Amino acid sequence: MSKILRTAGAVLGTLALAGSLAACGGDSLEKDKGGSGASSGGGGKKGSLTVGAAGFTESAVLAELYSQILRDAGYGTSVTTVKNRELYEPALEKGEIDVVPEYAATLTEFLNAKVNGEKAKDKPLASSDAAATVAELTKLAAPRGLKVLPAGAAVDQNAFAVTKEFATKNNLKTLSDLGKSKVKVKVAAGDECTVRPFCAPGLKSTYGIEVGGIDPKGVGTPQAKQAVKDGVDQLVLTTTTDATLDQYGLVLLEDDKKLQNADNVLPVVNAKEAGGQEIADALAKLTKALTTGDLVELNRKVDAERAKPADVAKDYLRSKGLIKK
């Protein structure tokens, strides 16, 4: 799942929430502490926790990182994969899931839409300021029984890439550089790029970039990146943790004027079931260590090397001294 879809779909997804749950026949997630997910740590001296994961690589890896660091802290843990936020967020509120890895801006707008409906479109609460976004998220989450833990430096947000050759030829390191170059570009992205403020309209208004057209090949898809590699398009919309850019000879241009919202990674927990300080302290060790570059490498190992998320997570945590050998 791409970042643009997580962000752009927040409002629409929430409005469809009731229908989504009804389509599931009203079944709740079974809080089986043995776990039906990728890994299980059995019972622990301090109790058992269910960590939720969404249906994409990065979420699976983050869930394993959370699960294993909590297990090391004395909790029994299991990972349960739930396809999308429309299903796992209500399960988190109910305590059927105890902990989930989340993205600050995306969850903020998801809850904004859940609370304020259509009005949320006109009054977004997320911004490029991570601290302000987390503050808004905290206010939205608390009445729903959710506790938002501090965000770290690792961020997975929309980003734009060009070929290394194109960057060198036009002396580009930032999106501001591209705007100043006055080079007109065709963007490989989703067709919604024409109207989304973080895509074509934002590139023009924030950076003065001349967008000559949108090639609707999707967000960060192989087809989109190949089109830029082949010179059919010049700019591709992807994410900051895209682990395959090197394969296509692409490099990210820095979002130096902060067009994109702050989608920093952070844990969100059910306040009643997992709101204790020991859980927060355990997860904080990971949050402080994890970087965007780390996420890129972890994603690469799973997607390119076909390693298991649980194994990748264990190797990372051991390498950082975050769990016992």
Side-chain angles (χ1 to χ4, degrees):
M1 182 184 297
S2 68
K3 175 59 59 184
I4 189 173
L5 293 180
R6 287 201 295 268
T7 303
V11 173
L12 294 176
T14 303
L15 294 177
L17 178 63
S20 296
L21 293 176
C24 292
D27 293 338
S28 65
L29 293 174
E30 188 64 34
K31 199 169 183 180
D32 175 7
K33 296 302 184 182
S36 59
S39 71
S40 174
K45 295 179 181 178
K46 298 179 182 179
S48 298
L49 298 169
T50 299
V51 181
F56 59 101
T57 295
E58 187 170 288
S59 184
V61 173
L62 285 167
E64 282 293 342
L65 289 169
Y66 284 15
S67 175
Q68 292 182 35
I69 204 165
L70 288 168
R71 192 179 307 158
D72 188 72
Y75 297 90
T77 62
S78 62
V79 174
T80 297
T81 300
V82 184
K83 185 177 180 181
N84 55 47
R85 186 174 286 104
E86 287 78 15
L87 295 177
Y88 73 67
E89 189 278 332
L92 184 65
E93 289 187 22
K94 294 174 185 176
E96 295 168 340
I97 291 173
D98 301 303
V99 187
V100 293
E102 264 293 359
Y103 302 89
T106 298
L107 184 59
T108 298
E109 289 311 315
F110 178 87
L111 293 181
N112 185 17
K114 197 170 183 180
V115 172
N116 298 309
E118 289 284 349
K119 296 178 182 178
K121 294 181 181 178
D122 301 320
K123 293 185 178 181
L125 298 175
S127 69
S128 61
D129 185 322
T133 298
V134 172
E136 293 291 349
L137 174 57
T138 301
K139 288 189 287 186
L140 288 166
R144 313 194 78 84
L146 304 180
K147 182 177 180 180
V148 178
L149 301 183
V155 59
D156 179 359
Q157 62 193 29
N158 299 319
F160 293 91
V162 297
T163 64
K164 294 176 182 177
E165 291 78 10
F166 186 82
T168 299
K169 178 182 177 182
N170 295 287
N171 195 28
L172 307 178
K173 291 185 178 180
T174 68
L175 288 171
S176 286
D177 292 337
L178 180 56
K180 292 173 184 175
S181 74
K182 301 302 180 184
V183 175
K184 185 178 290 188
V185 295
K186 189 174 182 183
V187 184
D191 54 11
E192 70 271 22
C193 182
T194 57
V195 297
R196 297 298 181 193
F198 52 79
C199 204
L203 290 175
K204 174 65 176 176
S205 62
T206 301
Y207 290 107
I209 295 171
E210 293 293 334
V211 177
I214 304 299
D215 188 359
K217 283 185 163 57
V219 181
T221 62
Q223 295 86 349
K225 284 176 276 197
Q226 188 66 44
V228 175
K229 179 181 179 180
D230 293 343
V232 175
D233 304 324
Q234 292 73 47
L235 195 66
V236 61
L237 174 60
T238 182
T239 68
T240 52
T241 61
D242 190 327
T244 65
L245 293 177
D246 278 348
Q247 297 176 25
Y248 296 90
L250 304 179
V251 292
L252 293 178
L253 295 181
E254 181 188 351
D255 179 20
D256 53 306
K257 292 184 179 179
K258 308 295 184 185
L259 171 62
Q260 306 302 331
N261 281 342
D263 255 327
N264 296 64
V265 176
L266 78 177
V268 181
V269 304
N270 179 283
K272 182 180 179 181
E273 300 289 341
Q277 191 59 44
E278 288 187 65
I279 290 174
D281 289 344
L283 292 170
K285 294 192 298 180
L286 172 63
T287 298
K288 291 175 182 177
L290 194 66
T291 67
T292 304
D294 291 341
L295 281 178
V296 173
E297 182 61 15
L298 292 168
N299 289 339
R300 187 191 66 78
K301 287 181 178 179
V302 174
D303 289 335
E305 298 180 10
R306 303 304 180 195
K308 294 180 180 179
D311 294 337
V312 169
K314 182 181 289 186
D315 289 344
Y316 176 81
L317 292 170
R318 285 177 171 173
S319 73
K320 297 292 184 180
L322 296 175
I323 61 173
K324 300 178 183 69
K325 297 291 185 181

